Amino acid sequence: MIRLRAFEKMSYNEIRMEYLKQLVAYKVVEFDEEDILDNGPSKRNGKSKTSYKILTDFPALREYLYNDNQEIKRDNLRQILIGPDEAPRSLGGRGEFATMRNVFDKIILDIEGGNSNVLKTAVSVCEKIFKYKQLNIVENGFSEPLAYWLQRQLGVKVCPYCNRMYTTTLYGKKRIRPDFDHFYPQSIYPYLAVSLFNLIPSCSICNKAKSDNAEIKKDIEKETKGSNFKHKQKSSIIYPYDESYNELQMCISFRIIPYETQKEVIMGQSDKFWIEFRPTAHSKNLEFEDLAPTKTELDERFRCKINSEISSEETIAAQAESEFWDRAKHTINLLRLESLYNEHKLEIMNILRIHYEYNQIARKLIVKPLNDSNVATHLDFTSFTDLLYFAFLKQEEWGNSPLNKLKSDILEQLNELENTRKKWSEG
C-alpha cells in the first residue's frame, strides 16, 4: 500500500554492507567471512567446504554459487544476500535493474531455469546454509538478536502492506518485534530466506493472510473436486520497495460509497457507507469502465483494457501497467484490506464530522489570526490540517502512523465534493 522508506538512517550501500557483517557475526550463513566480505579470490576453507558439500543435494544452487574450481562466485552470493551493488531505479539508484523485483526474478531464473518446483531436499539444504532462525538468537557478545538490529536500521513504523497497524519494536529483556514477511516465501524460494530485501517488516495480520499465497511460480493451479477441475489464477502482489498505491499514473485511492442518503454520511452522522479502493489515476494507454458511485465488485473496478489506438511501443508499457493493476487487485483481495478498513468506520466518521464542522473557510479563518499574531512559530495551512485530523497527510510521511493514506484519500474526496458544490453555486 505504501512505499518502504528504509534508507533514512543508512544509505542503500551502507545498510547492505553492514548487514553482510552482521550475517557473519551472528553465524546466519554457512560461508566463511572471506567468502562474503573480502574482494580477493576465495581460498574456500572452513565453512565454505561444508556448504559446498551440503549443496550436493541442490546442484542448481551450487552451480550458481561456485565455479568449476570450487571457488565462491562472490557476486552471486551477495546478490542473493543483499541485492546488486547499484540500487535499482525504483529505489532511486541508477543500476541496470529497473526494480528490485527484477533482481529477484533474475536470481530465481538463473538458479531454477524452467523448473517450477524446489524439492524438499533443496529446502532442507537451504535451511542449513541460510539459517533464518538464527536471526532470532543472541550470539555471544551481542545484546540482542540480529532481527532486532535490522528492524532498528530499517526504522519501519507501520506495516507497509496495510498502513493500519504499528510495527513497534521493544528492546531489552522483554523485547518484542514485528513479523518479517518473506515476500518470496521460504517454502518456495528457500535460498532467499535471509535476503535483506526479501524481509518486509509487517503486522502479524498481513503476514498470516499473505502466508505462502503470493509470488508462486505456477500461473495456474488445478484443484480437483470430484471429476471437475477448477483453474485458479495466482498473481503477484505489490512489492513495497518498488511500488505503492500512489504511483504516477497508477494511483489507487480509498473512496466512501454511501448506501443511501449522502448528507448524513458526509456530516459524519451515519455509518451507512462502505469504504472501497478505486483506481483514481491511470495513463491513456488503458481504458477503465466508467462506474457509478455505488458499491461495486473488486474485479469490476479494476477491469481494464489496452487502448486500441496507441502505438506498438506504447502497448508494451500498457501491458506493464496492466500487470500493476492485477498485482494491486490481488493484494487487496489476498490481504482482505477492504473488509479490514470497514472496521474503522468510527475513525472515518470522526474525519467526516471534523471536515463538515471545519470547512475550508473556517480552517483558513482559524490559521490566519495565529499567523498574524506575535507567536514565533508559523503555522501553515497544511500543518494545521495535520493537527486537526491527527494525521500525516503528506505521502512521504504516511509511514509515521497508521491510517494516514485512508485519511488523506478521504479528505481529497471531500475537497473534490466541496469544490464541485462551489462550482455549482457559482454557475
Side-chain angles (χ1 to χ4, degrees):
M1 179 180 290
I2 64 172
R3 283 265 190 160
L4 264 178
R5 301 180 181 275
F7 309 119
E8 295 181 356
K9 291 186 177 181
M10 303 174 72
S11 70
Y12 173 80
N13 279 319
E14 285 173 340
I15 196 169
R16 288 173 65 250
M17 298 315 297
E18 193 59 36
Y19 183 62
L20 276 185
K21 295 175 184 177
Q22 299 295 336
L23 289 177
V24 172
Y26 279 87
K27 304 175 183 177
V28 175
V29 288
E30 195 69 24
F31 295 96
D32 285 336
E33 181 176 348
E34 68 170 20
D35 287 340
I36 296 178
L37 299 177
D38 291 352
N39 292 317
S42 171
K43 298 177 181 178
R44 206 186 61 72
N45 54 24
K47 289 182 181 177
S48 55
K49 284 185 178 180
T50 305
S51 62
Y52 185 85
K53 183 177 180 180
I54 293 173
L55 282 170
T56 301
D57 293 328
F58 196 169
L61 182 58
R62 184 166 71 175
E63 183 177 345
Y64 181 79
L65 292 176
Y66 289 95
N67 61 25
D68 294 338
N69 296 324
Q70 300 183 14
E71 294 173 339
I72 197 77
K73 296 179 183 177
R74 190 176 288 106
D75 288 345
N76 286 357
L77 176 58
R78 288 185 178 180
Q79 192 106 294
I80 284 180
L81 296 176
I82 56 171
D85 290 339
E86 188 70 34
R89 297 189 290 280
S90 61
L91 274 66
R94 298 181 179 179
E96 62 173 307
F97 294 99
T99 67
M100 187 61 76
R101 187 195 290 272
N102 292 156
V103 176
F104 284 119
D105 288 345
K106 185 177 187 306
I107 292 172
I108 293 167
L109 180 63
D110 287 347
I111 293 174
E112 301 183 29
N115 181 23
S116 61
N117 292 297
V118 173
L119 300 176
K120 290 183 179 180
T121 52
V123 174
S124 177
V125 165
C126 290
E127 287 177 349
K128 297 174 183 177
I129 296 177
F130 305 103
K131 297 175 278 191
Y132 175 71
K133 293 180 180 179
Q134 193 70 17
L135 270 75
N136 289 304
I137 296 176
V138 180
E139 281 295 316
N140 293 334
F142 295 93
S143 59
E144 63 188 18
L146 178 53
Y148 287 77
W149 174 89
L150 180 57
Q151 171 62 6
R152 180 186 289 117
Q153 308 313 315
L154 295 177
V156 178
K157 300 175 183 177
V158 180
C159 177
Y161 288 129
C162 68
N163 191 225
R164 55 179 293 275
M165 300 286 284
Y166 277 110
T167 50
T168 304
T169 302
L170 298 179
Y171 304 97
K173 292 182 179 179
K174 296 184 179 180
R175 55 181 171 260
I176 189 171
R177 67 169 179 84
D179 291 353
F180 273 121
D181 170 59
H182 286 82
F183 186 81
Y184 291 85
Q186 288 187 81
S187 61
I188 306 173
Y189 310 97
Y191 44 87
L192 301 176
V194 297
S195 299
L196 174 60
F197 296 103
N198 194 38
L199 301 175
I200 310 295
S202 62
C203 70
S204 58
I205 293 176
C206 286
N207 191 24
K208 185 175 180 180
K210 178 178 172 291
S211 187
D212 292 349
N213 298 314
E215 308 311 311
I216 67 171
K217 301 182 189 69
K218 291 183 177 179
D219 293 330
I220 300 294
E221 177 183 314
K222 291 184 178 180
E223 296 179 354
T224 306
K225 291 186 177 181
S227 59
N228 298 320
F229 289 94
K230 180 182 178 183
H231 292 75
K232 187 175 182 181
Q233 185 74 30
K234 294 283 189 176
S235 302
S236 296
I237 69 170
I238 296 294
Y239 176 55
Y241 273 110
D242 284 338
E243 54 197 2
S244 70
Y245 289 6
N246 277 68
E247 301 300 307
L248 183 64
Q249 295 188 329
M250 293 184 290
C251 187
I252 305 161
S253 302
F254 288 100
R255 283 295 179 257
I256 299 171
I257 310 296
Y259 287 151
E260 299 172 355
T261 56
Q262 184 178 11
K263 183 177 180 181
E264 286 75 13
V265 170
I266 298 303
M267 294 170 63
Q269 297 177 356
S270 170
D271 64 354
K272 303 300 182 183
F273 63 88
W274 177 257
I275 286 287
E276 65 182 27
F277 286 100
R278 289 204 171 199
T280 51
H282 58 87
S283 75
K284 65 179 180 62
N285 295 332
L286 296 179
E287 296 177 348
F288 283 79
E289 295 184 23
D290 187 16
L291 301 175
T294 56
K295 187 177 179 182
T296 312
E297 293 298 321
L298 184 65
D299 284 342
E300 189 175 356
R301 276 177 268 143
F302 282 77
R303 186 182 301 140
C304 62
K305 63 180 180 180
I306 296 177
N307 189 337
S308 58
E309 297 181 358
I310 63 176
S311 66
S312 56
E313 292 80 6
E314 291 172 318
T315 301
I316 298 174
Q319 184 61 42
E321 186 181 341
S322 178
E323 291 171 359
F324 166 84
W325 295 108
D326 284 340
R327 289 195 297 275
K329 182 182 70 173
H330 187 54
T331 308
I332 294 167
N333 184 56
L334 181 63
L335 303 183
R336 299 165 291 188
L337 292 178
E338 287 186 342
S339 295
L340 288 170
Y341 266 94
N342 275 281
E343 295 298 316
H344 290 282
K345 285 192 174 182
L346 288 178
E347 290 98 327
I348 296 168
M349 289 173 66
N350 191 47
I351 296 170
L352 296 170
R353 184 165 55 252
I354 292 173
H355 189 273
Y356 177 76
E357 294 177 357
Y358 295 91
N359 59 31
Q360 287 186 13
I361 297 175
R363 293 195 294 273
K364 290 177 180 177
L365 288 174
I366 292 172
V367 173
K368 188 176 186 303
L370 290 174
N371 291 332
D372 290 343
S373 67
N374 294 324
V375 178
T377 303
H378 177 76
L379 183 66
D380 60 30
F381 188 71
T382 302
S383 300
F384 174 73
T385 305
D386 284 357
L387 290 173
L388 189 62
Y389 296 102
F390 296 97
F392 295 92
L393 299 178
K394 295 179 181 177
Q395 183 175 345
E396 61 270 20
E397 297 178 346
W398 285 351
N400 288 337
S401 61
L403 305 182
N404 283 320
K405 175 168 172 55
L406 170 73
K407 294 177 181 180
S408 178
D409 289 349
I410 288 176
L411 291 174
E412 180 184 358
Q413 182 184 5
L414 292 173
N415 287 333
E416 289 172 359
L417 289 172
E418 203 169 81
N419 292 332
T420 300
R421 290 196 188 98
K422 185 178 179 181
K423 289 179 181 179
W424 287 346
S425 62
E426 290 174 351

